[in-house]
């Protein structure tokens, strides 16, 4: 074989006409059949390179940019690809309009891109591909966005491999597989020609030959002229079809563009000013007329001469743009501007009035010195260009006022820069400066120094004395370790200092006597000393402060944040600050709040939650306090006069205390209270406290969850007329008073986890949106004739005795989110006491739901978490292991022996120093709110692909061995763990035990603690221990054992470890309740009736499973002594959408179908998923004689004497079901409509259901045949290949009858000599039928199956 670097093969795919022509050329008739590959020698001119072209037509389906899976590589291509993982396929697209691949099928008239598949290696360069394809260059498009020309030395396939490696793929074979997936083209795509975007071209340049007349008078005649609209001007040539003569320039900014009604498709263009000129242009078509009017209207509406060509993938500007001499602002960010060319940067000096130029994100690499000749520039932006040096010629720009060099690789500045006397803004953030450049001292007009994200480790205040012009310094994210203040001379000019996210242990800024704002969050400060003369704002949260010294008393201080520190008391100067309005001292060790502080006449907002407060001092006088947060303290009571004196209080949160009562709202019957939000969750309040709430007549939100309420006074509730949200969950209520109907503004009622038996009378309220009465004792619901159209969510889960009639279900049909219990059927296995390894509960509350990524994943993102319980394949006899993979801010916490154990990693820039450093090294711009490019605070997410390589989907994977001390697992999103600590979450679940009720409580607590976001939680109760063992005694040694079978393990996904058995549970921060099915955490089995004791399988528990790996031999080769392992059965459910529904009744039925729950267009059907797993043992392969002999004895193993003609068993663990798929290769599974997802079926509710063999388990509901009423239709007669399905209620009787007789199943007799055809598992290419299949064949995943 020739050198791989010079070996390029191409598979061509063209449209229908070109395909037909190729068919004739290669000797084929018709375009429908794939061609036999024909080898063509390369032309003589290229014979020396050793390049050979293999031409072959490819079928293309309706999806844009994809080829059908029926098309396969030829044998030569497959052999070449299998030889090395560094070989692969590059998809080259033609010059069609660049659009992301459509999600649905396209019509036959849709434009199809010209797709060519090129086989090459990772050493193949773009230059070699261009020479082979005879094209000028290759172009790369990332994430459906910008398109750039590849350098000749760049290697396309290696770029794809590097991209996938950065995404988290580690296995070379898996990388090779994914690189060939055509779906990857929405992320990374190559073009053989630069695509033309019509919309982009319209906004950049419009030109054509039209009839033109100059002036408003009739003196001038109409003439055919070349007309151009580019930038800010209308350009009219003096000669038709030529630009060589005189050009007439008409500036349009501030001018007019009007329709001429006397002529069809005619526009009048006028410039601004007293000497305005006018041109009339008559267009040929309405389309041209509208296009020119639309673009010209944008230009004339501008107030400045701005030309915005950002994000157009330009290599140079249109040459006509240089005719626009009035251009003052030119925006070219996010392009690929080159230096040379007619429209290159070298010619920008032709702009006579250019003042502002933005060239950020252009990948320049070198500072264009030609820019130094544009003497009119006042603003120059060159961020994120990989610059390593700044030329000294920059001193020529004496008018320059703003220079932005953020996100480059600069470590020094030329001294000549100091001559820029007017430079007042200099951006040097996210470079490599080790210290503040000395040239800054000479920039007298500079008032702000932005140096965030550099490598400054020491700041010397003495050096700032020489920079008297600097007022604001930004040194975030520098790794700053020391701030030296050796001089006693005051630093009078510095007013703002930002030192966030550094490594400071102490900070003394007492010499900065003019300091107004200091931000030093997320350091390691133990002591802080400041000057208080002019201090207005102090942010020092997330440190280790035990004291803060400020002298003199900061009389101008208005806002101070000292949260998440180690303060045990508040300094006296805090109480003496006369203007303080906002004070945050939450998450400290405070045991009391000074009375003087509470009586402050300036304090508006006080946050003192999560401390150790035991009492609150009496208020001395009326105070202006509006917001008070005292949650998570040890308060037993509030001052009696609290509400009398705090008449301006609008928000009060005293959740998670020990309150037994609350003070009255007033001393008399008339109350002046303005309280609007009151949170009392997690106290010891009883029903007597409810009567004290009557005086708060402005109350809109009331949370009294998890108290000791046995009732709520009906007369008192009716007086809360403006109440909008009421949460009474977790009490001992037996009913909600009927007077709740008096709360006409009520839109949310949450009362789960009580003893309520009567549905509350809230469905008549005009604004009701959400009702949650789950986990109660509901038995029936009395409904009005019609429900309010505003009702969006109704949760009735956890009411075991609730029976809903079909009339009720009909009334609920319009509710977008209806949550009902699924009634699992009790099977014989359950009756015999088989244990369950786990059970789970899920809850979510508030916030945005059902957010899907899809193609929008290029611009949107989501956090995700996956937990997988499995056995280690190396030690199958030991306990289970738990593997956790996560991206974003979703977290998993394991309760081990009553203590929390964090299993996930939070990929937030503020919480992960490692990720912060990685993003900094990639030269991302981190804004002041700690977001990557101002978009997200997470460095690893699903989606947000346009932020690559700063934001990646690569998960953190952690495996933890489970033990008997592990009680449960908590999965939660960011909103949950922001408000509920790990220890509180564990303690909460320990107190509740029931997983569903525990998940509900976690979400309720988060809301009561102030959460305003969507909050979700999953609680998985684990039963790991020897008490869970349900193994039967082993069979006697006298029982026959069949010969051992060879085994092979298919490679697993890097993000989801493969195992012989296990469960997978997914959690997404944007997931709704309907997206979490009950199949998570379920197990399944397939029991085969036996005709004798020798065929009875040995039952194994989940703690001691049998070895279950992929079997390449026939099923029946187990022999009489090898029994399938019987796994636990637990009902599973599949949720799907249906366009037809009659609420569970067929047209001929008189009773609802068992296990069917209907909700309008959504239908939930309960099914039992039965799967097979077989004991496998290692040993020598079987002979062909053994294989043939086994066919004759299968009748003893299967009472229905059915022939098992499958040639392999593939075992996969998906969503808790141990799945053994018989009779299909993995490639066939992938091609099946019911198994379009890899080893799983994606349902409409977002969950993944295990693969289902149509001969082994119930059909997938979405694809099953339906009656006219919307449900399944039984087949007209039994399929000979169908297995015997026994209803659970008749299972035992059937077993007894089968022992005494030999059943006969109609159908053709089995053919023992018939064996299935073999396929190449790597490339899925059909092979001729062989007489036997060697049992040691190793199954591998299809590398190119998803693409071809």
């Amino acid at each position: 074989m020739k050198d791989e670097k010079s070996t390029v093969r191409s598979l061509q795919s063209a449209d229908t006409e070109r395909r037909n022509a190729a068919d004739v050329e290669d000797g084929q008739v018709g375009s429908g059949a794939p061609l036999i590959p024909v080898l063509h020698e390369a032309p003589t001119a290229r014979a020396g390179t050793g390049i050979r072209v293999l031409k072959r037509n490819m079928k293309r389906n309706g999806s844009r940019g994809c080829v059908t899976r029926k098309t396969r590589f030829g044998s030569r291509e497959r052999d070449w690809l299998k030889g090395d993982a560094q070989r692969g396929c590059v998809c080259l697209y033609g010059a069609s309009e660049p659009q992301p691949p459509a999600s649905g099928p396209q019509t036959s008239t849709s434009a199809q891109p010209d797709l060519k598949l090129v086989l090459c290696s990772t050493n193949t360069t773009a230059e070699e591909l261009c020479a082979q394809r005879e094209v000028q260059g290759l172009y790369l498009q990332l994430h459906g966005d910008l398109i750039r020309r590849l350098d000749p030395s760049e290697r396309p396939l290696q770029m794809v491999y590097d991209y996938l490696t950065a995404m988290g793929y580690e296995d070379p074979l898996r990388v090779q597989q994914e690189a060939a997936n055509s779906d990857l083209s929405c992320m990374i795509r190559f073009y053989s020609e630069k695509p033309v975007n019509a919309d982009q071209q319209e906004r950049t340049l419009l030109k054509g030959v039209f009839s033109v007349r100059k002036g408003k008078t009739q003196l001038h005649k109409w003439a055919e002229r070349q007309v151009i609209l580019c930038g800010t001007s209308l350009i009219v040539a003096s000669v038709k079809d030529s630009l060589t003569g005189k050009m007439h320039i008409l500036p349009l900014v501030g001018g007019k563009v009007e329709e001429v009604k006397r002529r069809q498709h005619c526009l009048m263009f006028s410039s601004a000013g007293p000497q305005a000129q006018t041109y009339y242009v008559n267009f040929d078509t309405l389309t041209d007329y509208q296009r020119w009017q639309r673009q010209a209207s944008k230009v004339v509406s501008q107030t400045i001469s701005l030309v915005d060509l950002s994000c157009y993938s330009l290599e140079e500007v249109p040459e006509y743009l240089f005719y626009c001499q009035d251009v003052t602002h030119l925006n070219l960010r996010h392009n690929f501007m080159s230096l040379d060319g007619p429209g290159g940067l070298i010619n920008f000096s032709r702009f006579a009035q250019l003042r502002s130029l933005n060239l950020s994100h252009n990948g320049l690499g070198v500072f264009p010195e030609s820019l130094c000749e544009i003497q009119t520039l006042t603003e120059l932006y060159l961020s994120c260009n990989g610059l390593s040096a700044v030329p000294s010629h920059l001193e020529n720009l004496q008018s320059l006022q703003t220079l932005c060099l953020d996100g480059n690789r600069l470590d020094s500045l030329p001294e000549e820069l100091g001559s820029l006397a007017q430079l007042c803004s200099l951006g040097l953030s996210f470079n490599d400066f080790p210290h503040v450049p000395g040239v800054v001292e000479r920039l007298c007009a500079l008032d702000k120094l932005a140096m965030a994200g550099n490598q400054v480790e020491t700041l010397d205040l003495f050096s700032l004395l020489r920079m008297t012009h600097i007022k604001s310094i930004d040194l975030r994210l520098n790794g700053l370790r020391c701030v030296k203040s050796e001089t006693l001379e005051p630093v009078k000019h510095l007013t703002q200092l930002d030192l966030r996210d550094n490594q400071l242990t102490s900070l003394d800024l007492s010499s900065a006597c003019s300091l107004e704002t200091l931000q030093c969050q997320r350091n390691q400060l133990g002591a802080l000393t400041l000057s208080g003369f002019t201090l207005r704002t102090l942010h020092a949260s997330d440190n280790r402060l035990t004291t803060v010294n400020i002298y003199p008393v900061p009389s101008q201080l208005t806002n101070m944040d000292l949260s998440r520190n180690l303060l045990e008391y508040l300094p006296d100067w805090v109480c003496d600050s006369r203007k303080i309005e906002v004070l945050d001292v939450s998450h400290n060790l405070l045991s009391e709040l000074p009375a003087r502080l509470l009586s402050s006449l300036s304090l508006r907002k006080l946050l003192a939650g999560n401390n150790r407060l035991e009492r609150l001092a009496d208020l001395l006088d009326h105070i202006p306090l509006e917001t008070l947060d005292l949650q998570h303290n040890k308060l037993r009571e509030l001052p009696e006069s609290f509400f009398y004196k705090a008449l301006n209080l609008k928000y009060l949160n005293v959740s998670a205390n020990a309150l037994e009562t609350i003070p009255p709202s007033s001393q008399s019957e008339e109350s002046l209270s303005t309280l609007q939000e009151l949170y009392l969750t997690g106290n010891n309040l009883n029903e007597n406290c409810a009567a004290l709430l009557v005086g708060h007549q402005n109350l809109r939100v009331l949370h009294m969850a998890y108290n000791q309420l046995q009732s709520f006074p009906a007369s008192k509730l009716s007086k809360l007329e403006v109440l909008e949200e009421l949460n009474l969950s977790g009490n001992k209520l037996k009913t909600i008073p009927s007077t709740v109907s008096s709360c006409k503004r009520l839109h949310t009622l949450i009362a789960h986890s009580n003893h309520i038996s009567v549905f509350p009378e809230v469905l008549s309220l005009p604004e009701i949106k959400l009702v949650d009465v789950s986990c109660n004792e509901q038995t029936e619901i009395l409904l009005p004739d019609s429900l309010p159209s505003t009702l969006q969510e109704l949760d009735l889960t956890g009411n075991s005795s609730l029976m809903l009639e079909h009339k009720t279900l009909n009334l609920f049909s319009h509710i977008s989110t209806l949550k009902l219990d699924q009634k699992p059927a009790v099977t014989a296995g359950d009756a015999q006491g088989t244990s369950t390894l786990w059970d789970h509960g899920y809850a979510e509350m508030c916030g945005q739901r059902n957010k899907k990524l899809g193609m929008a994943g290029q611009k949107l993102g989501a956090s995700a978490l996956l937990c997988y319980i499995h056995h280690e394949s190396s030690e199958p006899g030991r306990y289970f292991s738990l593997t956790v993979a996560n991206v974003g801010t979703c977290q998993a916490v394991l309760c081990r022996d009553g203590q929390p154990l964090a299993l996930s990693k939070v990929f937030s820039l503020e919480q992960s120093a490692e990720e912060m450093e990685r993003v900094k090294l990639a030269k991302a711009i981190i804004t002041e709110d700690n977001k990557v490019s101002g978009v997200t605070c997470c460095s690893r997410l699903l989606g947000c692909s346009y932020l690559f390589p700063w934001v990646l989907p690569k998960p953190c994977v952690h495996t933890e061995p489970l033990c008997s001390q592990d009680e449960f697992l908590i999965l939660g999103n960011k909103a949950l763990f922001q408000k509920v600590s790990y220890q509180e979450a564990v303690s909460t679940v320990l107190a509740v035990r029931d997983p569903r009720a525990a998940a509900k409580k976690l979400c309720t607590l988060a809301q009561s603690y102030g959460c305003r976001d969507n909050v979700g939680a999953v609680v998985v109760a684990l039963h790991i221990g020897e008490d869970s063992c349900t193994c039967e005694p082993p069979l006697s040694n006298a029982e026959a054992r069949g010969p051992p079978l060879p085994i092979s393990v298919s490679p697993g996904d890097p993000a989801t470890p493969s195992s012989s058995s296990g469960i997978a549970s997914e959690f997404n921060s944007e997931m709704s309740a309907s997206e979490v099915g009950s199949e998570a955490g379920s197990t399944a089995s397939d029991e085969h009736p036996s005709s004798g004791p020798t065929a009875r399988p040995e039952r194994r528990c989940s703690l001691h499973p049998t070895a279950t790996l992929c079997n390449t031999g026939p099923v029946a080769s187990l022999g009489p002594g090898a029994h399938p392992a019987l796994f636990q059965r637990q009902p599973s459910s599949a949720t799907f959408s249906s366009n037809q529904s009659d609420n569970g009744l067929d047209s001929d039925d008189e009773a609802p179908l068992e296990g069917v729950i209907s909700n309008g267009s959504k239908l939930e059907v309960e099914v039992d998923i039965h799967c097979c797993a077989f004991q496998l043992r290692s040993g020598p392969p079987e002979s062909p004689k053994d294989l043939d002999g086994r066919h004759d004895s299968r009748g003893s193993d299967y009472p229905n004497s059915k022939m098992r003609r499958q040639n392999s068993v593939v075992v996969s663990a998906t969503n808790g079901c141990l799945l053994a798929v018989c009779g299909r290769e993995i490639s066939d599974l992938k091609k099946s409509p019911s198994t379009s997802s890899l080893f799983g079926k994606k349902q409409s509710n977002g969950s993944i259901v295990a693969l289902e063999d149509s001969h082994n388990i119930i059909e997938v509901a979405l694809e099953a045949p339906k009656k006219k009423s919307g449900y399944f239709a039984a087949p007209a007669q039994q399929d000979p290949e169908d297995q015997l399905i026994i209803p659970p209620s008749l299972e035992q009787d059937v077993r007894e009858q089968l022992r005494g007789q030999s059943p006969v199943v109609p159908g053709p007799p089995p053919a023992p000599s018939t064996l299935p055809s073999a396929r190449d598992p790597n490339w899925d290419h059909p092979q001729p039928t062989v007489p036997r299949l060697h049992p040691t064949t190793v199954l591998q995943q299809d590398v190119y199956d998803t693409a071809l």
Side-chain angles (χ1 to χ4, degrees), residues 636-640 643 652 654 659-665 678 680 685 688-693 696 704:
R636 295 185 176 275
E637 61 179 1
L638 294 177
E640 184 71 17
F643 288 120
L652 175 63
V654 287
L659 297 176
E660 297 181 355
T661 184
I662 58 175
S665 58
L678 178 59
L680 300 170
L685 303 176
N688 296 328
C689 300
L692 301 175
L693 300 173
H696 304 292
M704 296 186 69

Side-chain angles (χ1 to χ4, degrees), residues 242-261:
S242 175
L243 298 177
T244 57
K246 182 180 178 181
M247 307 298 294
H248 301 274
I249 312 299
L250 182 68
L252 293 179
V253 176
K256 295 180 181 180
V257 55
E258 297 177 351
E259 177 185 3
V260 179
K261 297 182 179 180

Side-chain angles (χ1 to χ4, degrees), residues 1204-1278:
R1204 286 296 189 104
R1205 290 177 291 183
Q1206 291 84 359
N1207 70 322
S1208 64
V1209 177
V1210 181
V1211 181
S1212 171
T1214 307
N1215 272 355
C1217 301
L1218 182 63
L1219 179 62
V1221 183
C1222 305
R1224 296 182 183 177
E1225 292 86 358
I1226 300 178
S1227 58
D1228 289 333
L1229 288 177
K1230 292 180 180 178
K1231 293 184 293 182
S1232 171
S1234 63
T1235 57
S1236 57
S1237 297
L1238 184 61
F1239 295 115
K1241 171 67 181 176
K1242 186 70 167 59
Q1243 296 296 316
S1244 60
N1245 65 348
S1247 61
I1248 301 295
V1249 178
L1251 293 176
E1252 302 170 73
D1253 192 321
S1254 61
H1255 297 163
N1256 190 28
I1257 50 181
I1258 191 169
E1259 295 179 88
V1260 177
L1262 277 173
E1263 299 168 30
K1266 298 178 175 63
K1267 292 183 181 179
K1268 294 182 179 180
S1269 58
Y1271 294 108
F1272 309 137
Q1277 59 183 2
Q1278 183 180 10

Side-chain angles (χ1 to χ4, degrees), residues 235-248 323:
I235 306 171
V236 181
S238 58
V239 182
K240 178 182 177 182
D241 296 335
S242 175
L243 298 177
T244 57
K246 182 180 178 181
M247 307 298 294
H248 301 274
Y323 289 101

Side-chain angles (χ1 to χ4, degrees), residues 397-411:
L397 304 180
Q398 289 298 314
S399 301
L400 198 62
Q401 300 176 11
T402 300
L403 178 60
C404 185
L405 298 171
D406 297 335
N408 287 289
R409 304 189 182 279
L410 302 173
D411 55 10

Side-chain angles (χ1 to χ4, degrees), residues 72-73 77-78 81-89 119 161 164 171-182 1051 1226-1227 1230 1238 1320-1325 1340-1348:
R72 295 289 183 259
F73 284 111
E77 294 102 309
R78 289 187 291 106
L81 287 168
K82 290 190 294 184
D84 190 350
Q86 298 303 309
R87 300 168 181 168
C89 171
L119 299 182
Y161 282 16
L164 291 170
D171 183 15
L173 292 178
R174 182 65 185 277
V175 171
Q176 187 185 45
Q177 171 193 357
E178 295 297 332
N181 192 338
S182 59
I1226 300 178
S1227 58
K1230 292 180 180 178
L1238 184 61
D1320 190 323
N1322 266 335
W1323 308 99
D1324 198 20
H1325 182 70
Q1340 299 180 3
Q1341 293 180 340
D1342 291 70
V1343 177
Y1344 284 85
D1345 186 65
T1346 55
L1348 305 173

Side-chain angles (χ1 to χ4, degrees), residues 334-369:
H334 283 291
N335 283 289
F336 304 100
M337 295 298 299
S338 61
L339 183 64
D340 302 322
L345 299 177
I346 196 171
N347 294 316
F348 274 28
S349 57
R350 295 172 58 182
F351 290 112
Q353 300 183 36
L354 189 62
R355 296 175 51 199
S356 176
L357 177 61
N358 191 338
L359 289 171
S360 299
H361 295 273
N362 269 268
L364 298 175
V366 179
F367 196 108
E369 295 193 17

